[in-house]
Amino acid sequence: MMRNPLTPCKACREQVAETARSCPHCGAPGPGQEWPWSFGETLIGSFFALSLAYVVFWALFSALRRSLGIP
């Protein structure tokens, strides 16, 4: 008989089974699942995504202004 190993819930830090669908203590969904990215990776990815979006919109609006003859 295999037992499910316990892990801390990502929300309340109480011990739950890794395969639990929700935490029996706080009700958080997927309590034993790891976050796919760390906070630092998420922050860096968000910075680059927002920077890229800024450059794309700046280029589009610059082209639009030139086509309309706006200085």
Side-chain angles (χ1 to χ4, degrees):
M1 179 167 115
M2 282 188 94
R3 296 189 62 202
N4 290 332
L6 297 178
T7 186
C9 171
K10 63 185 177 191
C12 70
R13 310 309 295 165
E14 292 288 334
Q15 293 293 314
V16 297
E18 288 181 351
T19 57
R21 296 181 118 198
S22 65
C23 177
H25 306 285
C26 69
Q33 299 170 354
E34 292 292 323
W35 295 103
W37 301 285
S38 70
F39 177 74
E41 290 170 331
T42 303
L43 189 63
I44 291 170
S46 298
F47 173 76
F48 282 115
L50 289 173
S51 298
L52 179 63
Y54 175 78
V55 169
V56 168
F57 283 116
W58 178 81
L60 289 173
F61 285 118
S62 293
L64 179 63
R65 287 178 53 193
R66 275 193 307 265
S67 69
L68 294 175
I70 301 172

